[in-house]
Amino acid sequence: SKFTHHGRSSPQVRSGTDTNDYYFPSCVSHVTLEASSVVLIAVIGDEDTCTGFLLGGIGELNKNRKPNFLVVEKDTSITEIEETFKSFLARSDIGIILINQFIAEMIRHAIDAHMQSIPAVLEIPSKEHPYDASKDSILRRAKGMFSAEDFR
Amino acid sequence: MGLDPVSVNLDQKLLEFMDQLELLEEKRQRLNSLIEEGWFNISKARYSMGNKQVSALQFASEIEPQICVHSSLSEKGNVEFKCERTEPKTEELEPSGTVENIGPKEGGLRRRTKIKQKETTVEETSKCEKESQDSIKSEKSPCQHQDPLKWFGILVPQNLKQAQAAFKEVITLSAEIATLQSAILATRMEMQTQMKEKHKIQSVLEG
C-alpha cells in the first residue's frame, strides 16, 4: 500500500502552526453553545477533494488557528492523518468532518470509536476509490442493530 | 395487552428508519455524482491552465471561511445542520476617470477619446495620487471573504467556475446528509430502547 506508515511527518502536508488557541470563525456574530452553535466544516482528503471544497468556501487558514483541512498525499503518514482527525474531533468549532473513504479506511478504528453526534463524520468517494456503502461507519452501525434476536 | 402499543411503536419506528435510509441513499447518490462532476471540471481546468496552476500550491496563505454551519439539537435528540453562506466581498475596481494611472510602458486599457489635456492634467495627477494611495491601502488591508476562484487567476476557465458551483451544492448536501445520519442513529437508539422494553414485557408476561 502506498500509504504505509513511515514514522515521519510529511513536509508536503499543509498544516498550521502549533498554537492551541481556538477561536470561533469571524463570520460568527453570536454563539449559543447549549441550544445551537455555529461551526465549520473540516475536510481530510486528497488534493482534488480539498481543492474542490476550498473552492466551495469552507476553508479556514490563518496565523492564529490551525487549518480546518488536511491535504493527504502519497507520503502522508497514517499517524498524521489520525492526529489531525482527533484534533478536529477535539475542536468545538468543527461540526462536520468530510473524509475520503479510502483515508477513512486507514483510520477506521478512530472513526468507529467516535460515538458523539458532533462532529458528524461523512465519508465521501475519491477519484480512484468509489463510495462503498458497506464500508461506511454510520451505515454499518445502523445495519448492525439488526440481529436474529430482534425478530423473535 | 401490554405488548400492542410497544409493537405498534416499534413498527412505526422501523418504517421511519427505512424511509430515512432510502432518503439517505438518494442524497448520497446525488452527492457522489456532484463530487465527480466537480472533479471532472477541475481536471478539465487543469488541462487548459496547466498542471501546477490548479493545485494545493495555489491556496492562499490566509483563508476566511465563507460557509458556516448552524448546528442545533432537535427535540428528538439528534443534531440538525444548516448551511449559511456569506457572499464574498468583491474588491472595488472602479474604473477611474483618468488614463494616467497605468503608465505607457505597462500594458492596460487606455481611453481613446481625447481629453482637454491642459485643463485636466493637474486634476488627473492629483486623482492619480489619491487612487494610488487608496489602492495601496486596499492592498495593505487583507481582503476578507475573497472568492477562492481568484487564487487561480483573474480569468479562470468556465470549468473551474462550474467545479465551484458543484462543490457549493455538495457542501449544502453534506449538511443535509449529516443531519440525516444523526437522525438515523437516533431512530436506531430509540428502536433498541423499544426492543428492550418489548423483551421486558414479554419476560414479565411469560413469567
Side-chain angles (χ1 to χ4, degrees), chain A residues 27 54-58, chain B residues 63-67 84-92 143-151 164 168:
Chain A
C27 59
L54 261 60
L55 262 179
I58 65 161
Chain B
I63 310 173
E64 289 273 346
Q66 292 172 13
I67 292 186
E84 186 188 317
R85 181 175 290 277
T86 52
E87 289 303 315
K89 288 180 189 173
T90 51
E91 295 179 23
E92 289 182 4
C143 179
Q144 297 200 351
H145 299 294
Q146 192 195 30
D147 187 359
L149 215 56
K150 294 190 179 169
W151 302 340
Q164 186 183 46
K168 280 181 178 176

Side-chain angles (χ1 to χ4, degrees), chain B residues 154-172:
Chain B
I154 301 296
L155 288 176
V156 293
Q158 197 62 25
N159 289 316
L160 208 58
K161 293 180 186 173
Q162 287 168 354
Q164 186 183 46
F167 274 101
K168 280 181 178 176
E169 208 180 323
V170 164
I171 288 162
T172 313

Side-chain angles (χ1 to χ4, degrees), chain B:
Chain B
M1 292 286 284
L3 266 180
D4 286 342
V6 176
S7 297
V8 165
N9 215 358
L10 250 179
D11 287 342
Q12 280 174 351
K13 285 289 163 197
L14 184 66
L15 288 171
E16 192 184 318
F17 185 68
M18 293 299 169
D19 287 339
Q20 285 171 342
L21 280 177
E22 194 181 344
L23 189 59
L24 178 71
E25 181 63 30
E26 280 171 26
K27 289 193 188 253
R28 268 270 171 211
Q29 279 182 2
R30 175 87 183 121
L31 181 92
N32 292 344
S33 61
L34 273 172
I35 291 180
E36 285 162 15
E37 183 189 322
W39 284 327
F40 195 43
N41 282 314
I42 287 177
S43 299
K44 281 184 187 173
R46 190 176 281 132
Y47 181 74
S48 57
M49 291 170 73
N51 268 343
K52 293 190 180 175
Q53 298 307 313
V54 184
S55 69
L57 297 169
Q58 260 61 44
F59 295 170
S61 54
E62 289 201 9
I63 310 173
E64 289 273 346
Q66 292 172 13
I67 292 186
C68 299
V69 177
H70 293 269
S71 67
S72 55
L73 273 172
S74 74
E75 292 168 355
K76 294 180 182 178
N78 55 300
V79 184
E80 290 179 2
F81 296 99
K82 279 181 191 169
C83 274
E84 186 188 317
R85 181 175 290 277
T86 52
E87 289 303 315
K89 288 180 189 173
T90 51
E91 295 179 23
E92 289 182 4
L93 296 172
E94 289 173 0
S96 62
T98 66
V99 178
E100 302 303 321
N101 54 344
I102 300 170
K105 290 180 185 175
E106 303 168 30
L109 294 174
R110 311 198 92 202
R111 249 195 186 172
R112 302 293 174 190
T113 55
K114 290 182 183 178
I115 311 167
K116 289 180 185 178
Q117 292 178 359
K118 288 181 186 177
E119 291 175 4
T120 55
T121 38
V122 175
E123 293 173 13
E124 285 172 14
T125 47
S126 61
K127 276 183 189 174
C128 282
E129 284 168 11
K130 281 182 193 172
E131 278 159 9
S132 59
Q133 283 171 12
D134 288 341
S135 63
I136 287 166
K137 278 180 194 171
S138 65
E139 281 166 12
K140 278 182 182 172
S141 62
C143 179
Q144 297 200 351
H145 299 294
Q146 192 195 30
D147 187 359
L149 215 56
K150 294 190 179 169
W151 302 340
F152 303 96
I154 301 296
L155 288 176
V156 293
Q158 197 62 25
N159 289 316
L160 208 58
K161 293 180 186 173
Q162 287 168 354
Q164 186 183 46
F167 274 101
K168 280 181 178 176
E169 208 180 323
V170 164
I171 288 162
T172 313
L173 254 180
S174 302
E176 290 171 20
I177 289 178
T179 308
L180 248 183
Q181 280 183 178
S182 176
I184 283 172
L185 291 175
T187 309
R188 172 185 166 268
M189 294 298 291
E190 279 177 42
M191 284 180 73
Q192 280 188 328
T193 318
Q194 291 285 318
M195 199 64 82
K196 282 179 189 170
E197 206 179 305
K198 182 184 169 186
H199 289 323
K200 262 187 198 172
I201 295 172
Q202 272 180 339
S203 58
V204 162
L205 287 173
E206 284 166 9

Side-chain angles (χ1 to χ4, degrees), chain A residues 38-52:
Chain A
V38 183
V39 291
L40 295 175
I41 300 177
V43 62
I44 300 176
D46 54 23
E47 190 179 42
D48 270 8
T49 303
C50 289
T51 304

Side-chain angles (χ1 to χ4, degrees), chain A residues 4-147:
Chain A
T4 49
H5 169 50
H6 294 294
R8 58 174 170 82
S9 62
S10 160
Q12 309 253 354
V13 170
R14 301 176 68 85
S15 54
T17 56
D18 294 329
T19 178
N20 285 325
D21 293 326
Y22 298 130
Y23 303 97
F24 286 102
S26 56
C27 59
V28 173
S29 58
H30 65 275
V31 172
T32 321
L33 287 174
E34 292 173 358
S36 69
S37 57
V38 183
V39 291
L40 295 175
I41 300 177
V43 62
I44 300 176
D46 54 23
E47 190 179 42
D48 270 8
T49 303
C50 289
T51 304
F53 280 105
L54 261 60
L55 262 179
I58 65 161
E60 186 190 56
L61 177 63
N62 56 45
K63 290 173 271 189
N64 300 324
R65 294 158 55 84
K66 288 188 174 178
N68 66 338
F69 60 93
L70 173 66
V71 181
V72 173
E73 293 175 346
K74 288 179 187 176
D75 44 4
T76 307
S77 68
I78 297 178
T79 316
E80 203 144 11
I81 298 170
E82 193 174 338
E83 277 170 11
T84 308
F85 178 72
K86 287 183 175 170
S87 72
F88 286 165
L89 290 181
R91 282 172 65 165
S92 57
D93 61 337
I94 287 180
I96 301 176
I97 301 175
L98 298 165
I99 181 167
N100 283 135
Q101 198 169 49
F102 79 96
I103 302 172
E105 280 294 296
M106 290 182 229
I107 57 168
R108 184 56 71 193
H109 54 283
I111 294 179
D112 284 343
H114 170 62
M115 305 292 281
Q116 286 89 30
S117 44
I118 276 190
V121 178
L122 216 72
E123 295 178 29
I124 56 178
S126 62
K127 288 198 294 189
E128 285 139 22
H129 302 87
Y131 176 73
D132 186 354
S134 64
K135 293 181 184 174
D136 192 317
S137 279
I138 303 291
L139 290 181
R140 277 198 336 212
R141 214 178 289 169
K143 186 178 135 190
M145 67 152 287
F146 291 113
S147 64

